[in-house]
Amino acid sequence: MNCIFCKIINGEIPSSKVYEDEYCLAFKDLNPAAPVHVLVVPKTHIESLDCVNGENIDTVSKVISAIPAVAKEAGIQNGYRVITNIGEDGGQTVKHLHFHILGGKKLTEKLN
Ligand code: 5GP
Ligand code: ZN
């Protein structure tokens, strides 16, 4: 499958790793939108949160459970924002579920 994040997970494409466990990998975003900008992705290919189902919910839940550890490893101390874009109108460019972890400054209140 021609998926950038699957290639990062299997080591074909290098990344700056922040956290890893059995279910997920977290690495720095190539184009940071905040002083800290980390992506957390499941190690198995799930297209987006719109594809969550009974088969993959355990994996998705493990990925979400890892977010506090990811934020800690990334050095975030005063709160952060989690975003997941879905599909065309949601602005999703990489079709492998990922949670953006943004922090390291007071973020704007704007959500769109
Ligand atoms: P999306 O727009 O799909 O929610 O977010 C995709 C994110 O992946 C973007 O913020 C983009 O900067 C990041 N990205 C795309 N390609 C790469 C890559 O090869 N390495 C890393 N570390 N980030 C990437
Ligand atoms: Zn993938």
Side-chain angles (χ1 to χ4, degrees), residues 56-67:
N56 60 30
I57 184 63
D58 285 351
T59 301
V60 173
S61 135
K62 296 281 189 191
V63 176
I64 292 170
S65 302
I67 288 175

Side-chain angles (χ1 to χ4, degrees), residues 13-27:
I13 294 176
S15 71
S16 187
K17 183 165 79 178
V18 170
Y19 172 94
E20 182 172 18
D21 65 24
E22 193 182 338
Y23 302 95
C24 72
L25 178 69
F27 50 92

Side-chain angles (χ1 to χ4, degrees), residues 4-5 8 13-16 27-33 37 39 83-87 90-96 98 100:
I4 297 173
F5 290 172
I8 286 177
I13 294 176
S15 71
S16 187
F27 50 92
K28 291 182 183 171
D29 195 292
L30 208 56
N31 257 309
H37 187 172
L39 302 173
I83 295 172
T84 189
N85 295 326
I86 299 167
Q92 184 180 10
T93 58
V94 179
K95 306 288 190 259
H96 180 128
H98 52 283
H100 296 258

Side-chain angles (χ1 to χ4, degrees), residues 1 3 5-6 45 96:
M1 189 188 303
C3 169
F5 290 172
C6 282
H45 185 88
H96 180 128

